[in-house]
Amino acid sequence: MKAQGKSNKRKSKPTRKSRVAAPASADGGDDALAALRGKIDSVDERIQALIAERAGLAKEVGVLKGLKQTVEYYRPEREAQVLRKVVDRNDGPLRDEEMVRLFRELMSACLAQEEALKVAYLGPEGTFTQSAVFKHFGHSVHALAVPTVDEVFHEVESGTADFGVAPIENSSEGTVNIHTLDMFLSSPLKICGEIELRIHQHLMGRMQDLKDVKRVCSHPQSLAQCRGWLSQHLPDVEKVPVVSNAEAARRARDEDGTAALAGEAAASVYNLRILFNTVEDRDDNTTRFVVIGRKLFPASGTDKTSVLVSAAETETPGVLLHLLAPLSKHGVNMTRIESRPSRKRKWDYVFFLDLDGHADDQHVAKALDEIKAQASLFKVLGSFPKAVL
């Protein structure tokens, strides 16, 4: 019982005139089609030549920089600037998302001429995090699946991976993996990018029909994102939370009566039939991922800054308001705040802040200096380009 999209196209009934006229115009139509295909071939030749030229220039840039490690020539702020120009130039007919994807893959292939970037991600294969890696870095990277957020950090800290990717929040359900934040309490790594991935949840399995579904497995976040759909279509079916959507897909492959909620990539990896497409409750369902690395990068022009901060006297009335007052004073917009236990003593908390602007921007720097002066704990986790799309 596979969902089918409704088509807005109507099949017009051919008139007798059109049926009679078609053979007479066949030669002319074939000639016009051949001419258009010839033009496309000519454009393809020019595109290929320009891609080769761009790849050559990218290689020259690498030589001029005296490359020794791949992370020295990967510059997230430069890529963000290039992709924003792509969006600004785009007048169609392709959507901005398609144009950005094409240029992202082009930049990925050019960077891989020296050595492919190694990116660790919260796996296994077939998860949304893997999709986020390819959206941000392109398919010319070497993606390394690891089972835990701790290992994502460890792979980057040890130098085995150049960067890491982990989920942090969902637009519908809030924080996705609190352990990602907790790791920054002790890790020296920095946030050097963010990825916003539109999340499409699909119901998949080996069965032919919904009536054969006995249980639905998925990550707790995915089950929550599809709560309404499941209640309407599968109200009496057992819902089973598992550690990842890929694990859910594996169980759907191996167990009779088990279906999974997961992304399209999981259906391909585990050879499952998609029973229903896009069953998430909200059309704008989006997950945000952070890119972690070993260094900070310059401003791109449209950036965010993440900060870890704690007040000296947490029990003083109004202490948080006083601590954050410099943001308002200097016109810095706070887009997110999250509290986590400090792990120093019970009921003691630290706060994770996301701010608009780069830490080197004058008004942001002034606000951060004033906050630091009165905080018991202060750490800039990273300044990075806002997600382009």
Side-chain angles (χ1 to χ4, degrees), residues 59-238:
K59 201 164 189 175
E60 288 183 34
V61 169
V63 172
L64 288 176
K65 287 183 177 180
L67 300 179
K68 293 188 183 296
Q69 294 181 358
T70 55
V71 288
E72 292 181 0
Y73 71 85
Y74 174 72
R75 300 297 296 268
E77 81 283 2
R78 169 61 180 161
E79 287 206 355
Q81 291 165 351
V82 170
L83 295 178
R84 288 173 195 147
K85 290 178 182 178
V86 170
V87 174
D88 290 342
R89 289 193 302 261
N90 187 35
D91 292 324
L94 292 181
R95 296 179 299 116
D96 288 345
E97 291 81 0
E98 293 300 325
M99 290 297 290
V100 165
R101 182 176 61 83
L102 290 170
F103 271 81
R104 175 69 78 186
E105 292 297 341
L106 176 57
M107 290 189 289
S108 178
C110 288
L111 283 172
Q113 291 178 106
E114 299 295 328
E115 183 181 352
L117 285 173
K118 296 180 287 294
V119 182
Y121 71 93
L122 182 61
E125 184 182 3
T127 60
F128 286 115
T129 310
Q130 183 190 41
S131 297
V133 169
F134 291 139
K135 178 181 180 181
H136 189 77
F137 290 98
H139 284 72
S140 294
V141 299
H142 184 196
L144 309 170
V146 297
T148 65
V149 170
D150 301 60
E151 292 188 55
V152 173
F153 277 75
H154 175 73
E155 293 294 290
V156 181
E157 288 176 4
S158 67
T160 302
D162 301 311
F163 296 96
V165 173
I168 193 166
E169 63 176 327
N170 177 265
S171 61
S172 302
E173 297 296 323
T175 302
V176 173
N177 196 317
I178 57 176
H179 200 46
T180 303
L181 294 177
D182 290 342
M183 288 298 297
F184 286 110
L185 287 169
S186 57
S187 174
L189 296 181
K190 305 296 183 182
I191 301 175
C192 52
E194 69 171 4
I195 310 160
E196 291 186 1
L197 184 69
R198 174 69 175 84
I199 300 298
H200 294 295
Q201 303 282 3
H202 307 297
L203 185 73
M204 59 190 69
R206 290 187 290 110
M207 63 282 296
Q208 298 286 341
D209 199 274
L210 281 185
K211 62 180 177 59
D212 298 320
V213 176
K214 306 302 180 186
R215 68 195 65 83
V216 175
C217 294
S218 197
H219 187 278
Q221 275 276 336
S222 296
L223 291 172
Q225 292 164 21
C226 304
R227 188 183 295 113
W229 189 92
L230 290 170
S231 177
Q232 180 180 353
H233 294 87
L234 297 170
D236 301 321
V237 168
E238 181 185 10

